Amino acid sequence: MDRKEYAILAVIALATVGIGVFTTSKPLGTFFAESIQQFVTTTAAMAWITWWALVVGFAIAGGVEAWTSQEAVSDLLEGHGPREIGYGSLFGFVSSSCSYSAIATAKNLFKKGGSAAATLGAFMFASTNLVIEIGAVIWILLGWQFLLADIVGGFMLIGLMAFGFVYLVPDKVVEEAKQNVLDEGAPTVQDPVCGMEVNTEEADHTIEHDGQTYYFCSESCKESFDPEEANTTVREQATSLSGWKALADKQWKEWGMLWDEIAIGFIFAGLIAGFIPEQVWTSIFSGQTFGLPVYIFWTAVVGAVIGVATFVCSVGNVPFGAVLFSNGLPFGSVLSYIYADLIVPPIMDAYREYYGTKFAAILSGMIFVAAVVTGVVIHFLFLSLGFIPKPSSVQIAEVKIEMNYKMVLNVLATAFFLFLYWLHRSESVEGDGEHGQHAHSAD
């Protein structure tokens, strides 16, 4: 996030406190004392409950990225049939959970020949909303019903996006978007050592091995590259120190992209829980004046709008979603809120830069509509199955540190996190020149 986004979030935080001040019926001194206590308690509780899941989730994502090859992925995403949509969803599931990284990767896959349905529909959405990290946090904070709904609804949303790209968006508009991406310049590939994006037409450091060209950002990366290790099996990498060093670097990159959004998600969840009085939520979500279907629909729209307005995306959305659900936002509408993480203002601006204004507007509109429709359908589907949990089941108020399984998991996760950090730093300090400087700056 940049300074402008932090400034906007600061304004939203102050507005949250302001709403509480003007709507509370308590003396201001009592209100602030109780609200600050609730804010700290909620924020700490969510961080404590989810810490082990975040560490394990990022480690798994780092292992998948470091130990598996993504070569020729775009070739598998050229069409828009079930096979290509399935591949896009699968590659998204095992890819990054950072929304900004996801849209950049999806753009590159689209640029290299992937279809809009498979890349901008399936891959981009799955890599933010169907990944292991977000699933683990949803399960812990919201329960298995929300996790199941996120998966079922995720595939439904991907289907809606694919349908839109194939049958509703004119081919001419899609081709114009692809041309805008191609006009950016030469395609880029990842440096196999440090992970930096390298322009294949301007790269000064390359290696030819077994008919394949490897591109590097610097001479130090080129010198430290072992072509034999590039073709090792997952088992060989999982049982070698170099393989674990690669995992540590990749997972640390994920932390570097997401730590602030996760922290902001916890902080905003604490602010909402602490400073917004219950009567405010009751007035917003109190009545089904025009019947349940209309109520669910308009609250799904509200949920998606909140998702856009809060600027928080990916895993950071879930703690805030837990507070919204506990305060009356319906089950399906919470999903609409979570699914809207790909249309926060900075991401919509990136769409405009990548694909042009017309396609960016169409893509953003499709995601919004798909998020709302999916939330409504999943709500009534799970209502008919009796799978909607009670708001009181949400894990947002537990802060006691007790000798139980959560403490054991968090202690083990902390030890594992420190071990991976040591591996990451030990590899970083070994490099010199450009590579050493780049690795250090990535922290």
Side-chain angles (χ1 to χ4, degrees):
M1 289 188 173
D2 57 27
R3 291 182 179 179
K4 180 180 178 182
E5 293 167 29
Y6 281 121
I8 293 173
L9 288 171
V11 171
I12 296 174
L14 290 174
T16 300
V17 176
I19 291 172
V21 169
F22 285 106
T23 56
T24 184
S25 58
K26 301 176 181 178
L28 284 183
T30 302
F31 169 74
F32 273 105
E34 293 180 353
S35 297
I36 291 172
Q37 181 182 14
Q38 181 66 34
F39 160 60
V40 173
T41 299
T42 301
T43 303
M46 288 189 168
W48 172 256
I49 292 169
T50 59
W51 169 244
W52 69 269
L54 291 171
V55 172
V56 173
F58 280 122
I60 293 174
V64 169
E65 189 174 354
W67 298 346
T68 59
S69 173
Q70 295 184 1
E71 293 298 326
V73 168
S74 58
D75 294 339
L76 299 173
L77 306 180
E78 289 184 351
H80 47 68
R83 176 177 175 272
E84 291 79 11
I85 300 300
Y87 273 127
S89 301
L90 174 62
F91 292 135
F93 168 71
V94 299
S95 184
S96 169
S97 61
C98 171
S99 299
Y100 296 96
S101 174
I103 67 170
T105 304
K107 179 204 70 172
N108 286 334
L109 293 173
F110 181 56
K111 181 178 184 177
K112 294 175 183 178
S115 69
T119 58
L120 307 183
F123 175 87
M124 189 168 72
F125 181 81
S127 62
T128 57
N129 289 287
L130 294 179
V131 289
I132 295 169
E133 302 95 302
I134 198 170
V137 176
I138 287 175
W139 172 48
I140 292 170
L141 293 182
L142 289 165
W144 66 266
Q145 298 95 332
F146 268 98
L147 176 58
L148 180 61
D150 178 66
I151 296 171
V152 175
F155 283 111
M156 177 182 173
L157 190 145
I158 288 171
L160 289 173
M161 293 291 293
F163 179 87
F165 280 124
V166 175
Y167 297 106
L168 301 180
V169 181
D171 292 340
K172 180 181 178 181
V173 174
V174 176
E175 289 305 316
E176 288 175 357
K178 181 162 289 190
Q179 190 58 50
N180 282 331
V181 177
L182 291 172
D183 288 344
E184 286 186 335
T188 60
V189 296
Q190 278 194 331
D191 182 321
V193 175
C194 70
M196 278 190 65
E197 291 292 323
V198 181
N199 187 319
T200 57
E201 293 185 356
E202 299 178 358
D204 295 325
H205 312 285
T206 62
I207 289 178
E208 294 284 343
H209 181 72
D210 286 343
Q212 183 174 347
T213 303
Y214 297 91
Y215 298 86
F216 306 90
C217 68
S218 64
E219 184 65 27
S220 60
C221 276
K222 178 180 177 180
E223 291 176 354
S224 61
F225 177 66
D226 184 352
E228 298 302 325
E229 287 189 4
N231 297 314
T232 55
T233 65
V234 172
R235 181 177 180 180
E236 290 171 334
Q237 293 186 74
T239 54
S240 68
L241 183 60
S242 61
W244 279 92
K245 284 184 176 181
L247 179 151
D249 277 346
K250 295 295 184 181
Q251 69 93 38
W252 196 257
K253 181 187 74 173
E254 295 295 318
W255 276 111
M257 290 187 293
L258 276 175
W259 72 269
D260 55 346
E261 292 191 13
I262 295 172
I264 289 169
F266 289 146
I267 291 170
F268 266 82
L271 282 172
I272 296 294
F275 284 90
I276 302 296
E278 186 176 348
Q279 61 264 29
V280 174
W281 299 110
T282 302
S283 64
I284 296 175
F285 304 125
S286 59
Q288 302 176 18
T289 307
F290 299 102
L292 183 62
V294 173
Y295 175 70
I296 297 302
F297 173 76
W298 86 260
T299 54
V301 172
V302 169
V305 170
I306 293 174
V308 174
T310 53
F311 278 70
V312 182
C313 48
S314 194
V315 183
N317 262 340
V318 181
F320 195 9
V323 172
L324 291 174
F325 182 62
S326 69
N327 282 285
L329 188 67
F331 181 83
S333 304
V334 175
L335 288 178
S336 297
Y337 158 76
I338 292 173
Y339 291 156
D341 65 343
L342 283 171
I343 44 175
V344 298
I347 286 181
M348 286 192 285
D349 189 53
Y351 293 153
R352 181 186 57 79
E353 292 181 4
Y354 290 162
Y355 311 115
T357 302
K358 181 191 295 185
F359 190 80
I362 292 173
L363 176 60
S364 300
M366 285 174 60
I367 294 173
F368 186 91
V369 171
V372 171
V373 171
T374 300
V376 172
V377 172
I378 293 299
H379 182 94
F380 285 105
L381 173 62
F382 276 57
L383 181 64
S384 67
L385 295 172
F387 283 176
I388 295 182
K390 295 180 179 180
S392 59
S393 66
V394 174
Q395 298 280 333
I396 61 171
E398 182 181 348
V399 74
K400 293 181 180 178
I401 299 178
E402 301 175 335
M403 187 58 193
N404 55 19
Y405 76 96
K406 290 176 185 175
M407 173 172 279
V408 173
L409 289 174
N410 280 332
V411 169
L412 293 175
T414 301
F416 186 44
F417 176 83
L418 293 174
F419 169 69
L420 291 178
Y421 179 71
W422 174 78
L423 282 179
H424 165 71
R425 293 298 299 171
S426 66
E427 184 175 34
S428 298
V429 297
E430 286 174 8
D432 52 25
E434 296 177 55
H435 178 229
Q437 294 174 6
H438 167 70
H440 181 70
S441 64
D443 296 337

